[in-house]
Amino acid sequence: MNNNFTETKILTFDIFGTLLNLKDSMEPYLKKYLSDFNDNFEASEIWNTWRDRQRIEQYQDNILMLGHSGYLNTCEIALKYSLDKHKLNYTSDVVNNIMNGWNYLIPFDDVVSNLAKLQKRFKLVALSNGEQWYLEHLAEKQLQFKFDNIISVELAGQFKPSPAVYRKATQILDSHSKHIMMVASHSFDVIGASACGYKSAYIDRYDLPLEDRGYSVDIHVQNFSQFKDLILNNKNPDISNNKSEKNIE
C-alpha cells in the first residue's frame, strides 16, 4: 500500500455501489413486487442475479462496440432477464414500478459527511457509467452534494472499464493521470483506472478479492471513513479485518 499521495490532486468516484447503496435502495421495490405476485421468493436472490447481469449487459455493449446504450437501459434489460431466469411473471407496469426505484437511490451512511471533508483538499469528480442527466439528478437530489465536476461515460461512448473512459476524463479535467485517483468498490474500475495511469483506491464494501491482472492498488480499505482518514492524514486506518491486506503491495 502506497501512503504517499502528495501528487494526488483529483479524486474520481464511482457512484453506483461505492457512494450509493444499490442493494438497500432497490430490494424494497423487489419486495413490493414479490408481495403482490410471488411472495414465496426472496428479493435478495433476484437482486443478486440482477446486479450481476447488469454488468454483463454493459460488458456486452463494449465487446460488441454498440456504444453507451445507457445505464438505465442496461438495468431494465437485466431486470427482465433476471425475472425470466427465475421464471417469475411480470407486466410492463411491474417493470416500470421497480425501475422507478433507481431515481431514489440512497447513499451509504459513511459517504456525504466524508465527501465534504475530502473536498477541502481535493477536487472531487463523479466519474460514472450513468447518463449525464441521471448523474446530475442523483448528485443533487440523493447525495445532495456538489461535485467539482460530473463526468458521464457517455462522453467516451463506452462503459467502464474501457480505457477510453479514463483517458477522456483525463482530457476533460486537463490533468495528467498521475494526479488522479479512482475511488471505487469494484475491482474492474480500479484496475481499469490503474491501467491508464491513475492511482487507485479500492473500498472493499463487499469483502471481495481484487482480480489478479498485474495491477496493485494504492489504497485498500473496507469503508469510506477509513479511506478518508488514510488519504487526509497519510496514516493506516484500522484494517485488521481486511484478510487480503497482506497481499497488497
Side-chain angles (χ1 to χ4, degrees):
M1 180 179 293
N2 176 16
N3 278 355
N4 183 6
F5 308 117
T6 56
E7 287 190 311
T8 303
K9 309 297 182 186
I10 303 170
L11 303 179
T12 56
F13 293 93
D14 168 67
I15 298 296
F16 302 107
T18 300
L19 301 186
L20 294 170
N21 186 338
L22 304 188
K23 179 181 174 67
D24 288 353
S25 299
M26 294 306 301
E27 278 196 357
Y29 291 85
L30 293 172
K31 289 177 180 177
K32 175 63 169 64
Y33 152 69
L34 291 171
S35 68
D36 291 341
F37 291 88
N38 298 274
D39 59 3
N40 62 338
F41 210 86
E42 290 293 329
S44 60
E45 189 171 354
I46 303 175
W47 170 251
N48 291 336
T49 303
W50 186 7
R51 182 63 171 149
D52 289 343
R53 184 65 196 183
Q54 192 255 337
R55 289 181 181 140
I56 292 174
E57 295 295 337
Q58 293 176 175
Y59 295 152
Q60 285 187 156
D61 276 12
N62 281 2
I63 293 169
L64 297 174
M65 296 185 288
L66 297 176
H68 183 264
S69 63
Y71 184 86
L72 291 171
N73 180 58
T74 62
C75 288
E76 182 170 338
I77 292 172
L79 171 60
K80 293 175 180 177
Y81 173 93
S82 302
L83 296 175
D84 287 339
K85 179 179 179 179
H86 292 291
K87 297 180 171 51
L88 298 171
N89 296 321
Y90 59 92
T91 64
S92 59
D93 285 343
V94 164
V95 171
N96 291 337
N97 289 339
I98 296 174
M99 284 298 299
N100 187 47
W102 289 97
N103 292 308
Y104 303 101
L105 301 177
I106 56 176
F108 286 100
D109 292 339
D110 60 359
V111 166
V112 177
S113 63
N114 284 318
L115 283 176
K117 294 172 184 176
L118 291 167
Q119 199 169 41
K120 294 178 181 179
R121 181 178 298 183
F122 302 99
K123 183 176 183 178
L124 305 191
V125 177
L127 176 57
S128 172
N129 279 331
E131 298 88 329
Q132 187 71 32
W133 70 265
Y134 182 41
L135 298 178
E136 291 173 359
H137 160 78
L138 293 173
E140 179 183 359
K141 301 296 184 181
Q142 300 309 116
L143 285 163
Q144 297 182 12
F145 182 80
K146 186 172 179 58
F147 290 94
D148 295 290
N149 205 334
I150 297 176
I151 301 175
S152 167
V153 302
E154 284 180 317
L155 298 173
Q158 298 185 56
F159 287 101
K160 292 187 289 183
S162 168
V165 171
Y166 308 101
R167 291 170 182 159
K168 185 66 175 179
T170 301
Q171 293 174 358
I172 292 171
L173 296 170
D174 192 23
S175 176
H176 193 285
S177 59
K178 69 180 181 180
H179 298 308
I180 307 174
M181 176 179 285
M182 186 72 216
V183 184
S185 293
H186 316 299
S187 61
F188 72 82
D189 207 346
V190 292
I191 288 172
S194 295
C196 293
Y198 285 46
K199 288 184 170 58
S200 56
Y202 183 44
I203 314 298
D204 190 7
R205 291 195 183 280
Y206 309 104
D207 193 26
L208 294 173
L210 277 164
E211 299 165 33
D212 183 6
R213 291 294 182 269
Y215 293 97
S216 61
V217 296
D218 297 285
I219 294 176
H220 187 160
V221 292
Q222 292 180 311
N223 60 59
F224 208 76
S225 295
Q226 290 177 348
F227 167 69
K228 180 265 298 179
D229 287 342
L230 191 152
I231 198 165
L232 288 183
N233 303 319
N234 275 357
K235 66 180 181 180
N236 286 323
D238 179 9
I239 51 175
S240 57
N241 293 325
N242 191 337
K243 296 186 288 295
S244 63
E245 178 58 21
K246 61 180 179 295
N247 297 321
I248 302 300
E249 297 179 356

